[in-house]
């Protein structure tokens, strides 16, 4: 593992019993300082993978290293902040006492507690019992707990669960802020819009396997051009014969063309010179959701 | 040390710990002093059935022997619940995940929990003796009897043995909570085992040799055998009495020590090896 790689897994597999494979030969790399989005549908194996990275779940096979060490070792845990699924705390303790318990287990001074609570805007409610917190407050306390150790690596599993739109936006801002500089964030979610706004790179997981990994622009496979022209059938015929043009799909009264955005002007000229009236031609940026649906659809077809 | 302090915070701030302690003290004083003294003072029904309470058993010099019989019975069951709650709730609340992802290793967290539990048992012993002492002194003053205390050596041995018996039950609670990954089933099974199964099998142990052999491994048999070695009267009728066959004090001590080690070792192995899922 190079110094630049913070998390590395090779053929990581978790089988619960014969026939049930939660994670299936998963290989991924998370680089230092990046916000890595881990995207996949519910039940794809995201949480099991994160639990293996934290040493909570033992892999059946494969290799896995976190910050250059075996997952779950004290020297690694001391440098990681985490939220896994719904934040779990002791219901009879107040927010501050919950953090005191975790601070003791992490050998972190109590002086870190108030800044962490302040960071997530929970200082005023720190004396309230955890059982009386709303889901959003629980999530924020989870984030405060994750920040207690001032960690090098944050592993966050669905951190915006239960938050209202304002809370989600706030949490996204916080994660973006935390991901600046040297700190690495591994963020798991099935909310594509959330990841799209925060992440530098994304790994798409389906049925326990990484089916695509890269920067969002790479995953978009370049971009698509939307071409609205008359007559549409002739335009499609002409575009199909052009070099550098990939898949062409008809979308009601327009064509979606897989092509390099730089070739847009050439495409326009060719169509016009062939007597085709072009009313619209522009680059469509695919959303992560489109990419994900495309990938999982392709995957389904291959399977 | 940090992990131990964390576990002590968890036990100290939990209302259930104080409720169990209060209930244990209440039961011990009620059955050890209040009801026997009431019977002694002339409850008609009690006397009609030929019941007899000797005032001497309620006086300070019999403090140790009078109080001890509650430990393998009520006390054991109550601290079994404490042991279950100490770790079983972590499964129910899903708090093993944050506990195991801070810095301390799983075994460090687990052994800190065991140590915190062992420390928490100390007031369960000391307060019973303190309240028993107060009750016996009040009775002695009321009945104009001498206030003589048991020997210091007997007192020290009684404190140690009482704690030891409670420790065996509490670690048994820890084990069944880890096995069942929760509290409800563990408490139910623990109470049935402690109050029913051991009692019933001990009853039949005098008649069936196989059961006699099995009953020699029971927590209650060994607990009562240890008390008997201190001179406490454990056979007879009523709460805190025991009808099974006893073993020597040395054997009882060794068996309980071995059981504590086995309970902790099995629970620790499971804690270390099993996957930690979310809350159940």
């Amino acid at each position: 593992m190079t110094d630049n790689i913070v998390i590395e897994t090779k053929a990581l597999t978790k089988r619960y019993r014969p026939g049930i494979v939660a994670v299936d030969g998963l290989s991924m790399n998370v680089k230092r300082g990046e916000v890595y989005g881990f995207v996949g549908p519910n039940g794809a194996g995201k949480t099991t993978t994160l639990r293996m990275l934290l040493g909570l779940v033992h892999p059946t096979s494969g290799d896995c290293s976190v910050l250059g060490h075996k997952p779950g070792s004290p020297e690694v845990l001391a440098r990681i902040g985490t939220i896994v699924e719904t934040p779990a705390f002791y219901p009879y303790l107040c927010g501050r006492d919950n953090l005191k318990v975790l601070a003791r287990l992490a050998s972190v001074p109590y002086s870190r507690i108030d800044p962490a609570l302040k960071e997530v805007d929970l200082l005023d409610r720190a004396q309230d019992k955890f059982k009386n917190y709303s889901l959003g407050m629980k999530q924020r306390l989870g984030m405060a707990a994750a920040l207690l150790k001032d960690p090098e690596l944050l592993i966050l599993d669905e951190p915006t669960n239960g938050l209202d739109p304002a809370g989600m936006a706030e949490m996204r801002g916080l994660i973006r802020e935390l991901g600046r500089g040297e700190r690495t964030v591994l963020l798991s979610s099935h909310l594509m819009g959330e990841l799209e706004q925060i992440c530098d790179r994304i790994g798409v997981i389906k049925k326990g396997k990484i089916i695509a990994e890269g920067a969002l622009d790479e995953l978009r496979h370049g971009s698509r051009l939307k071409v609205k022209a008359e007559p549409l059938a002739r335009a499609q015929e002409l575009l199909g014969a052009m070099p550098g043009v990939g898949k062409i799909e008809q979308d009601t009264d327009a064509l979606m063309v897989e092509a390099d955005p730089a070739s847009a002007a050439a495409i326009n000229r060719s169509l016009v010179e062939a007597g085709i009236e072009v009313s619209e031609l522009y680059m469509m940026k695919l959303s992560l959701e489109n990419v994900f649906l495309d990938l999982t659809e392709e995957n389904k077809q291959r399977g | 040390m940090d992990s131990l302090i964390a576990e002590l915070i968890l036990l100290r701030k939990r209302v259930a710990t104080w409720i169990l302690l209060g209930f244990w003290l209440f039961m011990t004083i009620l059955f050890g002093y209040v009801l026997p003294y009431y019977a002694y003072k002339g409850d008609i029904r009690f006397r009609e059935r030929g019941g007899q309470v000797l005032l001497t058993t309620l006086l300070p010099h019999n403090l140790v022997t009078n109080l001890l019989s509650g430990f393998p019975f009520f006390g054991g069951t109550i601290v079994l619940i404490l042991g279950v709650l100490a770790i079983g709730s972590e499964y129910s609340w899903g708090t093993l995940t944050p506990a195991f992802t801070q810095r301390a290793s799983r075994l460090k967290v687990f052994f800190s929990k065991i140590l915190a539990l062992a420390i928490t048992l100390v007031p369960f012993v000391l307060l019973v003796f303190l309240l028993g002492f107060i009750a016996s002194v009040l009775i002695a003053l009321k009945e104009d009897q001498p206030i003589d205390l048991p020997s210091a050596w007997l007192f020290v041995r009684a404190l140690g043995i009482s704690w030891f018996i409670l420790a065996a039950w509490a670690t048994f609670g820890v084990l069944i909570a880890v096995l069942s990954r929760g509290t409800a089933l563990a408490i139910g099974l623990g109470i049935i085992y402690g109050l029913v199964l051991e009692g019933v099998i001990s009853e039949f142990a005098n008649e069936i040799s196989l059961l006699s052999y099995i009953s020699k491994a029971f927590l209650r048999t060994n607990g009562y055998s240890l008390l008997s070695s201190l001179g406490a009267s454990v056979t007879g009728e009523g709460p805190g009495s025991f009808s099974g066959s006893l073993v020597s004090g040395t054997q009882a001590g060794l068996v309980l020590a071995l059981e504590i080690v086995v309970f902790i070792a099995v629970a620790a192995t499971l804690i270390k090896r099993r996957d930690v899922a979310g809350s159940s």
Side-chain angles (χ1 to χ4, degrees), chain B residues 18 20 29 36 80 99 111 138 141 156 165 181 218 223 232 247 267 276:
Chain B
W18 298 99
L20 288 172
I29 300 307
L80 176 139
F111 282 109
L138 288 176
L141 290 173
V156 169
I165 290 168
R181 300 186 214 215
F218 284 169
V247 297
V276 179

Side-chain angles (χ1 to χ4, degrees), chain A residues 254-266:
Chain A
L255 297 172
M256 305 300 292
V257 182
E258 221 172 68
D260 184 353
S263 63

Side-chain angles (χ1 to χ4, degrees), chain B:
Chain B
M1 194 63 186
D2 275 340
S3 306
L4 175 61
I5 292 170
E7 297 301 334
L8 284 171
I9 292 173
L10 292 177
L11 279 170
R12 182 170 56 83
K13 295 221 168 188
R14 192 164 184 181
V15 176
T17 306
W18 298 99
I19 291 174
L20 288 172
L21 176 61
F23 189 61
W24 158 232
L25 296 176
F26 170 75
M27 297 272 279
T28 311
I29 300 307
L30 181 72
F31 290 112
Y33 288 97
V34 176
L35 291 181
Y37 184 63
Y38 176 73
Y40 164 76
K41 291 302 280 183
D43 180 72
I44 294 166
R45 258 195 188 173
F46 185 75
R47 266 190 301 177
E48 277 175 358
R49 291 181 58 203
Q52 195 181 10
V53 172
L54 296 176
L55 178 62
T56 182
T57 58
L58 305 179
L59 295 178
H61 71 269
N62 275 324
L63 174 69
V64 167
T65 51
N66 188 39
L67 282 175
L68 281 178
S69 60
F71 280 87
F73 189 53
F74 313 128
T77 312
I78 285 168
V79 299
L80 176 139
I81 296 171
L82 184 70
V84 168
L85 292 180
I87 190 140
S89 303
E90 303 265 7
Y91 287 99
S92 314
W93 295 327
T95 40
L96 284 179
T97 295
F100 290 165
T101 51
Q102 295 311 309
R103 182 189 209 128
S105 68
R106 291 187 186 197
L107 287 183
K108 191 171 179 187
V109 173
F110 174 72
F111 282 109
S112 299
K113 209 171 266 301
I114 295 291
L115 198 52
L117 200 51
I119 292 170
T120 306
L121 293 181
V122 172
F124 276 72
V125 173
L126 293 182
L127 288 177
V128 156
F129 280 95
L130 177 67
L131 285 188
F133 170 73
I134 292 169
S136 65
V137 168
L138 288 176
I139 289 171
L141 290 173
K142 182 95 188 341
E143 298 298 326
D144 204 16
Q145 295 290 320
I147 300 175
D148 298 326
L149 290 175
S151 74
W153 175 230
L154 177 64
F155 198 66
V156 169
R157 280 193 300 155
L159 290 177
I161 283 174
S162 308
W163 179 88
F164 189 55
I165 290 168
L166 294 187
W169 281 93
T171 49
F172 180 57
V174 167
L175 175 63
I176 53 177
V178 171
L179 285 172
S180 67
R181 300 186 214 215
T183 51
L185 181 65
I187 289 175
L189 287 178
I191 289 175
I192 289 172
Y193 173 80
L195 294 185
V196 181
L197 197 67
E198 281 205 355
V200 171
I201 291 179
S202 296
E203 286 279 342
F204 286 105
N206 295 330
E207 293 153 33
I208 302 171
S209 54
L210 174 68
L211 294 183
S212 169
Y213 185 71
I214 292 171
S215 74
K216 287 187 170 58
F218 284 169
L219 294 171
R220 276 171 78 183
T221 305
N222 290 292
Y224 281 120
S225 300
L226 275 178
L227 303 189
S228 182
S229 71
L230 285 182
S233 171
V234 296
T235 53
E237 286 181 353
S241 61
F242 181 67
S243 55
S245 49
L246 298 172
V247 297
S248 74
T250 311
Q251 182 180 332
L254 287 173
V255 170
L256 281 184
L258 182 67
E259 284 176 346
I260 289 172
V261 170
V262 170
F263 295 157
I264 292 174
V266 173
T269 306
L270 291 172
I271 286 279
K272 184 167 164 46
R273 291 198 174 172
R274 282 201 305 212
D275 289 340
V276 179
S279 58
S280 53

